[in-house]
Structure formats: C-alpha cells, structure tokens
Amino acid sequence: EPEVTQTPSHQVTQMGQEVILRCVPISNHLYFYWYRQILGQKVEFLVSFYNNEISEKSEIFDDQFSVERPDGSNFTLKIRSTKLEDSAMYFCASNQGHFGEAFFGQGTRLTVV
Amino acid sequence: AQSVTQPDIHITVSEGASLELRCNYSYGATPYLFWYVQSPGQGLQLLLKYFSGDTLVQGIKGFEAEFKRSQSSFNLRKPSVHWSDAAEYFCAVGDGGGGADGLTFGKGTHLIIQP
C-alpha cells in the first residue's frame, strides 16, 4: 500500500538553527500539507501546497517557515531559525484531490533545545 | 472560524464493550467530517469520512459515525472494541473535501482498553 514517508523520525536541534523536515508524498497525489502537534495539544494545519505553490497557510506559518518541492518527489518544510516553541510533532500529508483521503506520514518529532 | 471539540480526553472501555467517542463541530456551511486514529509511533490513519448523503457512515475496523446536523455532532461508535483499538482518536472538519483547504482537528481522545 502506498504511504507517505517522513525523515527523520526524530530531530534535535539547537535554538536558532535551521532545520529541514523531509517528506515523500504518495506519487500520484496532487495536494501536499504540513501539520504540527505540540505535545498535549491538537493537530494544527500549517500549510497546503498545490501546483508548485502554497494554496493556503495558517497564521502559524509565518516568515520563519517555508515549503518546497525541490525535485518532484520530495516535499520539505524548512524552519529558518528555530525557537523552543517550535518543538512539536510535524506531520506531512498528501491527497489525490478534492474528496479524496488525506494520507498522513508517521511524523517527525522536532525537539529544540 | 471552524472548530472541533472532543470533550473526552481519556476514555476507558472494557474489551468487548461498546464504544462511543464524542465530537462536536462548529462550522458555518455543510462540513466535511473525518475521524482519524493514531496508534503509538504511527501516523494518522483515516477511519471514515462524511461529505454528503447518508448520515450514518461506515468505516474501517468496524467503526461507524453518525452526522447529526441539529446537534452539530459526528460521534464515532463501535459495537465491540478489541485491545488493538487502543489509540488516540481525532475528529476533524474541513471545508474543501480535503483539497487545498486544511483540516481542523480536535484535541483527540485517548482510548484505553481494559482486559
């Protein structure tokens, strides 16, 4: 069964450092998403990406964040200068299109120290 | 703005007993509703979804959910739980059928199964 894969599963970084979280969406999917879940809180939408551009973003997705689909298969989330409050589980998801099911990856746990 | 409330943070059920997980949503138009499950160390897996039509929807693993517009609810049910159902359950609402628009999730309900 096709699946969304995320790497790494856990990343520890120092405050102020840049991190890149990587995702390989399902190959024939058209929409790509990043969500995050701070420990003990709800899963929150960050951004959606379609046709090589951002379709929608939440207020969480500020200038510190960026997304890219550099090579047609990977979908990355970059955090430019990490803060302690960026510590969370980050989920990537992909969807074939409207009324389709969003498939989620297993998540990357980011710990900022 | 849309929102989802899952009033129960933890629920404990005996194996073989029935289960109902509550979900209430706030949304101005016809919502698109989802239930996801997250097992430890796993990603989010879709259990079922409601877009339109029959208000009782069947999902995987023996789960079902009923959309009640008058109560703004989309409760998840299972007639007989198994130990493998122990997991975190998330209700979510979307306004685009899962396309460009992101989903709004509830905080989740942690299901514990007693032997």
Side-chain angles (χ1 to χ4, degrees), chain A residues 33 35 48 56 91 95 98-99 102 105, chain B residues 36 38 43 96-101 103:
Chain A
Y33 314 84
Y35 290 81
S48 62
E56 183 181 337
F91 292 104
N95 189 325
H98 266 300
F99 305 108
Chain B
Y36 282 86
Q38 184 183 26
D101 307 301
L103 300 177

Side-chain angles (χ1 to χ4, degrees), chain A residues 11-63:
Chain A
Q11 180 153 0
V12 181
T13 188
Q14 288 198 324
M15 191 169 54
Q17 295 297 302
E18 174 184 286
V19 294
I20 297 177
L21 309 184
R22 303 181 191 279
C23 169
V24 179
I26 295 172
S27 60
N28 63 343
H29 283 190
L30 302 176
Y31 294 88
F32 314 109
Y33 314 84
W34 283 100
Y35 290 81
R36 78 171 186 191
Q37 184 182 28
I38 295 171
L39 188 64
Q41 298 188 24
K42 61 177 68 178
V43 176
E44 301 171 291
F45 168 75
L46 292 178
V47 66
S48 62
F49 192 85
Y50 171 73
N51 200 26
N52 287 317
E53 60 184 22
I54 290 174
S55 299
E56 183 181 337
K57 59 183 181 180
S58 72
E59 58 190 24
I60 302 168
F61 194 87
D62 60 22
D63 292 342

Side-chain angles (χ1 to χ4, degrees), chain B residues 34-103:
Chain B
F34 308 81
W35 274 100
Y36 282 86
V37 61
Q38 184 183 26
S39 298
Q42 303 296 312
L44 297 167
Q45 181 184 24
L46 181 70
L47 285 175
L48 47 76
K49 62 189 177 189
Y50 171 78
F51 289 163
S52 65
D54 193 347
T55 56
L56 183 64
V57 292
Q58 303 297 320
I60 62 170
K61 305 185 180 189
F63 286 92
E64 67 178 25
E66 187 170 12
F67 170 58
K68 292 186 178 180
R69 185 187 298 275
S70 61
Q71 297 177 19
S72 297
S73 70
F74 188 57
N75 294 348
L76 182 72
R77 301 194 293 249
K78 186 170 184 178
S80 175
V81 297
H82 186 262
W83 64 267
S84 60
D85 293 325
E88 192 84 17
Y89 290 80
F90 295 95
C91 181
V93 63
D95 58 5
D101 307 301
L103 300 177

